[in-house]
Amino acid sequence: MDMNEDVSGPSGRPNIVVPDGACDCHCHIFGPADRYPPVVTPGYSLPVGAPEDYLAMAGRLGFSRRVFIQPVTYGADSSCILDAMRTIGPSARGIGGIPAGKVADAVLAEWHRAGLRGVRVNYTPYKPFEAGFAEAVLPDIERAAGLVRELGWMLDIMTPHWLTRELLPHLARMNVTFTLGHFGKLPAALGTDHPHFRELAAHFRDNENFWIKIAAAYQISDRADFADVAPIARGLYETAPQRVLWGTDWPHIRHEEEGDAAALLDLFGSWFPEEADRWRILIDNPARLFGF
């Protein structure tokens, strides 16, 4: 599929029409640096990503619900997405940063009322292999899992594929709901016959706490048309259709040139031409997981 075919550009509208109540399950919000200063020096230029910019884009695509995901830039400080959710109201949910220390129960309750439903475990997906790294970070993940388990929240996992493979057995024993971002960062070129895909699919099939986001095809493909992503998306959906989610990944950090949200939505539509499948991924699954 040509990502620019019949699309007017990053501000354009998709060719497909999403059902009422559709949810963008993976997007980011950024605010003015003087109000929301970066906590972690980012490996990218901070994008324009204000709530009003996001809502304009989402409106053109037809999304009326959204889940804001904490970017690594803000570290443990979830102020930016909390303020965005408070402004937007009940159509927004969020995944925040892992709190640096103990948080008062009253504060956690207010965060929940604002729409927070989890915290993000984020080890840059561009990190090269490092022996022993998984064991080193497990205590932090266990601490985060303990917090979300108590609150009925979830973990959102963003890691390179090699680290995802090492963490999945540990996540299975933690008995915590978690989402895996961007196809688990499985390189699409491997295909569905590769042992790594079969291993990922087996974990996904067997763990009812495991949800996966088939968002941001550019994160796992080296092809301009992303044609190698379709079998991965379909294969994961066929493994556990009730636990698959989709999102725009707006504002497409590090991938701004490929980040045409309308075209990405049309790409999703080409993977799932049946209305029932789109309804499940865009409405039913997010409603169950995020409590819309």
Side-chain angles (χ1 to χ4, degrees):
M1 176 180 180
D2 183 347
M3 288 292 289
N4 294 310
E5 182 180 356
D6 296 326
V7 179
S8 60
S11 62
R13 297 179 185 274
N15 294 313
I16 74 166
V17 177
V18 300
D20 291 341
C23 182
D24 177 358
C25 290
H26 192 99
C27 49
H28 307 282
I29 290 292
F30 294 86
D34 58 346
R35 184 173 179 183
Y36 307 104
V39 174
V40 176
T41 302
Y44 48 83
S45 298
L46 289 181
V48 175
E52 56 269 26
D53 299 316
Y54 170 78
L55 289 174
M57 180 280 300
R60 286 189 293 270
L61 268 61
F63 285 97
S64 56
R65 295 171 175 168
R66 64 277 308 160
V67 183
F68 296 131
I69 308 297
Q70 176 86 337
V72 68
T73 306
Y74 295 132
D77 184 355
S78 303
S79 300
C80 189
I81 60 170
L82 283 165
D83 287 347
M85 290 187 297
R86 292 177 184 123
T87 298
I88 293 170
S91 70
R93 297 287 187 269
I95 301 294
I98 301 173
K102 176 69 175 175
V103 181
D105 290 345
V107 173
L108 291 170
E110 196 284 320
W111 288 356
H112 187 88
R113 285 194 298 273
L116 211 64
R117 292 297 182 269
V119 298
R120 195 178 201 203
V121 175
N122 192 341
Y123 300 106
T124 174
Y126 306 98
K127 179 179 176 59
F129 174 77
E130 181 180 334
F133 185 78
E135 290 74 15
V137 300
L138 269 176
D140 289 338
I141 298 175
E142 294 271 13
R143 179 174 70 86
L147 172 66
V148 300
R149 193 184 301 113
E150 181 179 345
L151 295 168
W153 289 0
M154 70 198 73
L155 296 180
D156 185 271
I157 311 292
M158 175 52 63
T159 62
H161 179 58
W162 65 266
L163 182 55
T164 298
R165 293 184 64 224
E166 294 188 7
L167 290 177
L168 279 174
H170 297 287
L171 289 164
R173 67 169 173 73
M174 288 183 196
N175 190 29
V176 63
T177 299
F178 68 96
T179 56
L180 204 60
H182 303 337
F183 305 84
K185 288 294 289 184
L186 176 86
L190 295 181
T192 56
D193 290 331
H194 194 279
H196 287 189
F197 177 85
R198 294 200 297 269
E199 178 186 51
L200 176 64
H203 279 288
F204 189 37
R205 179 194 64 227
D206 296 339
N207 187 349
E208 291 292 326
N209 290 323
F210 180 1
W211 297 65
I212 199 160
K213 290 182 277 190
I214 55 170
Y218 45 67
Q219 289 275 357
I220 66 167
S221 178
D222 294 324
R223 292 182 52 137
D225 61 0
F226 307 140
D228 53 353
V229 179
I232 306 296
R234 291 292 312 182
L236 290 170
Y237 181 71
E238 290 162 5
T239 299
Q242 73 280 13
R243 288 183 273 115
V244 170
L245 308 164
W246 186 85
T248 61
D249 195 35
W250 188 90
H252 319 290
I253 303 161
R254 295 179 185 259
H255 294 273
E256 290 82 0
E257 292 184 1
E258 303 155 295
D260 184 330
L264 290 166
L265 180 55
D266 282 335
L267 183 68
F268 164 81
S270 74
W271 300 338
F272 302 103
E274 297 297 325
E275 186 67 23
D277 296 330
R278 296 178 186 179
W279 187 282
R280 174 180 269 165
I281 296 170
L282 298 179
I283 295 182
D284 290 345
N285 291 353
R288 273 192 305 118
L289 182 60
F290 298 106
F292 285 110

